[in-house]
Amino acid sequence: VSDEPYREELDPRLTAVAVVAFDGDGVLGRAPVAAKVLPGEHWVLAASRAVRSAGGSLASLHPFLVRGGEVVAWAELRTTGVPVGSLDGAGPLAALAAVERERLSDQAWFRDVRRLLEAHYLAADDPYAQSGKSGGAASWEQGRRFIAGACHRSGTFLDVGCANGQLMESMVGWALADRGVRIEPYGLDISPGLAALARRRLPAWADRIWVGNAWDWEPPRRFDVVHAMPDVVPDHLRRPWLDRMVARFLLPGGRLVLHANDPYPEDVDRRTLPDLLSEAGVRASGELVRERPGKPAVRAAWLDAPA
Ligand SMILES: C[S@@+](CC[C@H](N)C(=O)[O-])C[C@H]1O[C@@H](n2cnc3c(N)ncnc32)[C@H](O)[C@@H]1O
């Protein structure tokens, strides 16, 4: 069988995955971790399963090769509970993966994040998991409701990365109850499949849910509050991404609200939201911290546009 570069059109024909998962200079396992793709399953889910059974979880997943029915991908680990080994001992595929990792373009980064999240969210049947939050309604409220505290005035609210639209929907009630502000929700997502799901779930707002990459999307209007998560952009683009949203997405006096969880002890990337902002060289106009029993705190921070 001949090797060919990975293309999304090949997805329906893929029957197995092999993943070279990196933690810094090390890799998980002595050989790429592998799994069969189950009938009806997206290969991305098989890749997640393979990495989990080897003692890690995925932060990103970048397919680059198809050989026979097997897709070969490299990945960054989100968490690892086991020590990683050296790249040198991990075989020729790992060496090839290391080369691919060096030359990932920004466009490929965005496309690969989209594929990873979309495959997981679209396979979930509870609305919170379709927005990337496991643990059901209670965990959703614990992890998200405090963001309403940053909604400083009534008006329009854009959720950047709206997934199935659950935050758009929840925020209307939370902002009114907790801050007495009335918001009109809008959504943007890079995934056409997730935006379609959001429109089906929220037909009254279907024409306010757009498909686009926040990095280069031209908003058709401006908003009072824009909510985003800082991990949907690569590190080296975070500063221009924040500047662009403040300058182009917000109304005068509008607010860009960011939120992120503090790291777990097993997380590979241990940076908090304040760390990410200070690395990007921006000073928040304000912040909120929500402690959670048995879990790391979740934080919000905001940047205000000039009035
Ligand atoms: C964790 S979900 C967030 C759901 C919801 N906004 C929340 O905070 O609970 C992240 C979403 O961001 C979307 N996304 C990722 N990169 C994006 C980008 N560059 N532009 C727009 N949306 C993006 C993903 O498709 C995914 O649906």
Side-chain angles (χ1 to χ4, degrees), residues 2-306:
S2 62
D3 292 356
E4 54 185 319
Y6 170 80
R7 289 176 289 125
E8 233 153 55
E9 298 78 59
L10 299 173
D11 282 356
R13 304 207 324 248
L14 301 174
T15 55
V17 294
V19 184
V20 179
F22 289 91
D23 170 1
D25 295 333
V27 294
L28 187 67
R30 293 162 150 272
V33 295
K36 294 256 176 277
V37 179
L38 304 174
E41 183 183 48
H42 195 294
W43 69 266
V44 163
L45 301 182
S48 276
R49 186 153 39 73
V51 170
R52 266 202 313 279
S53 60
S57 70
L58 288 175
S60 71
L61 182 65
H62 311 276
F64 60 95
L65 188 67
V66 173
R67 31 176 50 178
E70 184 182 57
V71 53
V72 184
W74 67 270
E76 298 291 348
L77 288 168
R78 177 176 307 284
T79 65
T80 180
V82 294
V84 293
S86 89
L87 176 64
D88 293 341
L93 219 44
L96 204 56
V99 173
E100 292 292 333
R101 187 189 189 206
E102 283 300 312
R103 64 174 196 209
L104 183 73
S105 69
D106 292 337
Q107 282 314 314
W109 192 95
F110 286 119
R111 179 199 62 203
D112 292 348
V113 167
R114 189 260 301 147
R115 183 187 310 103
L116 177 64
L117 299 183
E118 174 179 81
H120 281 93
Y121 298 4
L122 290 176
D125 45 20
D126 97 70
Y128 312 107
Q130 289 172 347
S131 266
K133 188 88 182 78
S134 62
S139 159
W140 173 254
E141 186 155 342
Q142 207 175 56
R144 295 288 186 277
R145 183 166 183 152
F146 81 111
I147 299 167
C151 293
H152 63 313
R153 69 186 193 199
S154 290
T156 49
F157 172 94
L158 172 70
D159 188 22
V160 170
C162 65
N164 73 338
Q166 186 60 50
L167 191 72
M168 294 168 61
E169 201 180 356
S170 296
M171 199 49 74
V172 173
W174 292 340
L176 186 61
D178 300 353
R179 285 292 299 253
V181 305
R182 290 184 188 278
I183 62 160
E184 287 292 338
Y186 292 74
L188 169 72
D189 205 281
I190 195 171
S191 159
L194 285 168
L197 173 61
R199 292 186 190 120
R200 277 200 304 281
R201 296 182 66 244
L202 305 166
W205 298 333
D207 59 354
R208 306 175 176 189
I209 297 167
W210 296 289
V211 177
N213 181 347
W215 169 244
D216 55 16
W217 181 65
E218 295 296 341
R221 57 168 300 145
R222 288 170 180 256
F223 305 91
D224 295 282
V225 178
V226 173
H227 167 258
M229 295 182 70
D231 57 356
V232 302
V233 67
D235 285 341
H236 69 281
L237 297 182
R238 192 164 293 113
R239 176 63 194 260
W241 177 72
L242 292 170
D243 288 348
R244 184 173 177 275
M245 286 196 292
V246 170
R248 311 266 283 271
F249 289 20
L250 293 178
L251 288 162
R255 180 171 281 187
L256 173 63
V257 180
L258 301 163
H259 105 265
N261 297 340
D262 279 0
Y264 282 85
E266 63 274 24
D267 281 352
V268 168
D269 184 348
R270 306 293 316 278
R271 296 173 298 174
T272 62
L273 179 58
D275 294 334
L276 293 177
L277 293 179
S278 77
E279 276 174 28
V282 296
R283 267 258 303 280
S285 315
E287 65 173 352
L288 284 172
V289 184
R290 172 81 156 89
E291 302 293 343
R292 298 180 299 177
K295 284 187 194 169
V298 56
R299 289 172 198 270
W302 52 90
L303 309 177
D304 288 336

